């Protein structure tokens, strides 16, 4: 975010270690002023005046864990950060990276509703890393220039809920059904591939920083009135019967200006869509229930 010319002030917040990170980042010779805030009593200062809040707080996976295994710790972290956002910068656009995204976005929505500040256009779950992976893996298999590749990824952000739509990929390539199946599986397991390779030292951080920066840049461009900014994101949705769903969204001055439909799906994708719904539904409900019970 320090490299982004649309950022004027960059406020960093963590429960520990922020002064060092802020000092380090602040030496980068780009426009934004950097400030670091640490601990609960500085959260208000960190948030006040924010137009965009990016939440990457929480614990990452270790090998053998699912994203849902992070729920017990991360749900409370997201809930408390969103309570503060609702109080100190209720009009900010909020992007949620913390896992399990399929539950943390509904948690954020419920917290904002409870505070009377919920705006569905300004709450976005970050699924850009799935798109980044789908583009990389597709380009490798289809032998096309990765810089030209586009692949929508819909559904959610965990295992089979991640549904890349390779039938809509461009540039088009003649891949076999087996290839598409393997690409789909690799995209769905992309996070796990990194978790296993890191062997206990966390999950994707560098590719996530890249994906998070792309997504935040798109949000900032939209807020600044740049036309035709479209990214995939996990948002409140009527695209399916589920209350939240990732699909392409058009970003604009108010955040999510339009949630775009799924387009034509292949039979394989249609099956994937039906298969993901029960898991995604239960993750959404788990998030909502958590806020009402706690
Ligand atoms: P990390 O451990 O490197 O960093 C997490 C940071 O959160 C730590 O610095 C920690 O101190 C901080 N933190 C903990 N409680 C906090 C609180 N209450 N307020 C503010 N900060 C707090 O972990 P990471 O690898 O950066 O992963 C963070 C989260 O992002 C994990 O839940 C991970 O699963 C998720 N993630 C999501 C995606 C995605 O595509 N959406 C990709 C990668 C990681
Ligand atoms: C990812 O997709 O890399 C993240 O959601 C982190 C994880 O746990 O896989």
């Amino acid at each position: 975010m320090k490299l982004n010319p649309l950022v004027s002030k960059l406020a960093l917040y963590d429960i520990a270690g922020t002064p060092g990170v802020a000092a380090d980042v602040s030496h980068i010779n780009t426009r934004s002023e950097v400030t670091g805030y640490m601990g609960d009593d500085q959260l208000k200062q960190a948030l006040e005046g924010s137009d965009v809040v990016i939440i990457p707080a929480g614990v990452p996976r270790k090998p053998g864990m699912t994203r849902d295994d992070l729920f017990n710790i991360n749900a409370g972290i997201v809930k408390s950060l969103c309570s503060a956002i609702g109080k100190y910068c209720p009009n900010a656009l909020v992007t949620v990276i913390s896992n399990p995204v399929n539950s943390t976005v509904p948690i954020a929505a419920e917290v904002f509703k409870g505070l009377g500040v919920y705006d569905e256009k300004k709450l976005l779950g970050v699924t850009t890393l799935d798109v980044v992976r789908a583009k990389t893996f597709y380009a490798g298999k289809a032998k096309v220039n990765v810089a030209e590749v586009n692949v929508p990824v819909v559904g959610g952000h965990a295992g089979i809920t991640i549904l890349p739509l390779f039938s809509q990929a461009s540039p088009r390539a003649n891949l076999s059904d087996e290839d598409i199946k393997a690409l789909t599986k690799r995209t769905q397991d992309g996070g796990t591939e990194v978790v296993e390779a890191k062997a206990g030292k966390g999950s994707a951080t560098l590719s996530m920083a890249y994906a998070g920066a792309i997504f935040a840049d798109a949000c900032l461009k939209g807020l600044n009135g740049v036309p035709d900014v479209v990214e995939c994101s996990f948002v409140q949705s009527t695209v399916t019967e589920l209350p939240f769903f990732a699909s392409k969204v058009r970003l604009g001055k108010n955040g999510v200006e339009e949630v775009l439909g799924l387009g034509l799906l292949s039979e394989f994708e249609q099956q994937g869509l039906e298969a993901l719904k029960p898991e995604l539904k239960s993750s959404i409900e788990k998030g909502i229930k958590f806020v009402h019970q706690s």
Side-chain angles (χ1 to χ4, degrees):
M1 295 321 296
K2 181 66 175 121
L3 301 184
N4 192 309
L6 295 172
V7 178
S8 51
K9 290 188 179 161
L10 184 60
L12 304 176
Y13 175 80
D14 204 320
I15 50 172
T18 336
V21 177
D24 189 355
V25 172
S26 73
H27 291 185
I28 297 172
N29 60 324
T30 55
R31 172 185 170 217
S32 51
E33 271 170 40
V34 180
T35 41
Y37 301 94
M38 193 166 70
D40 267 355
D41 48 355
Q42 294 190 355
L43 184 52
K44 176 175 189 262
Q45 272 174 288
L47 291 171
E48 269 174 351
S50 299
D51 296 311
V52 174
V53 180
I54 301 171
I55 308 183
V59 288
R61 283 200 284 165
K62 289 190 187 318
M65 292 172 83
T66 66
R67 291 175 182 82
D68 185 58
D69 292 334
L70 306 171
F71 186 98
N72 286 347
I73 298 177
N74 292 353
I77 292 175
V78 171
K79 181 174 171 254
S80 72
L81 289 172
C82 289
S83 302
I85 291 167
K87 252 199 205 145
Y88 303 128
C89 54
N91 299 319
L93 179 149
V94 179
T95 78
V96 183
I97 293 171
S98 314
N99 270 317
V101 167
N102 293 354
S103 302
T104 53
V105 170
I107 287 173
E110 288 310 296
V111 171
F112 295 146
K113 280 181 199 166
L115 294 169
V117 298
Y118 180 52
D119 177 355
E120 74 273 12
K121 294 183 165 162
K122 290 201 167 164
L123 175 62
L124 300 97
V126 183
T127 58
T128 319
L129 185 51
D130 302 317
V131 176
V132 163
R133 287 177 177 139
K135 286 179 176 181
T136 303
F137 303 155
Y138 179 83
K141 182 58 81 182
K143 308 236 178 320
V144 292
N145 178 0
V146 70
E148 288 169 19
V149 171
N150 267 310
V151 185
V153 183
V154 303
H157 179 66
I160 62 158
T161 72
I162 300 168
L163 183 63
L165 303 181
F166 288 113
S167 70
Q168 297 175 20
S170 61
R172 297 197 66 77
N174 232 343
L175 297 180
S176 68
D177 290 353
E178 281 317 299
D179 286 340
I180 297 293
K181 222 167 148 184
L183 282 174
T184 301
K185 175 103 176 73
R186 187 160 182 218
T187 306
Q188 292 173 332
D189 293 346
T192 306
E193 186 176 319
V194 179
V195 169
E196 279 168 7
K198 289 200 173 183
K201 293 217 160 62
S203 57
T205 53
L206 303 174
S207 50
M208 182 60 236
Y210 170 76
I214 287 189
F215 187 67
D217 179 58
C219 293
L220 287 166
K221 282 189 175 130
L223 293 176
N224 279 280
V226 175
D228 295 325
V229 182
V230 174
E231 289 289 334
C232 290
S233 178
F234 184 65
V235 295
Q236 183 176 310
S237 174
T238 53
V239 162
T240 67
E241 63 273 33
L242 302 178
F244 293 89
F245 198 82
S247 65
K248 286 198 222 171
V249 302
R250 188 180 309 285
L251 297 159
K253 288 190 176 170
N254 301 304
V256 178
E257 299 290 358
E258 189 184 358
V259 179
L260 302 172
L262 298 181
L264 207 59
L265 304 189
S266 68
E267 205 182 311
F268 174 66
E269 291 160 356
Q270 191 63 50
Q271 282 165 7
L273 176 63
E274 292 314 313
L276 71 80
K277 285 179 183 172
E279 180 182 329
L280 187 50
K281 182 169 185 280
S282 112
S283 300
I284 293 168
E285 284 168 356
K286 187 171 174 181
I288 294 171
K289 200 164 148 204
F290 171 78
V291 177
H292 291 284
Q293 279 180 347
S294 54

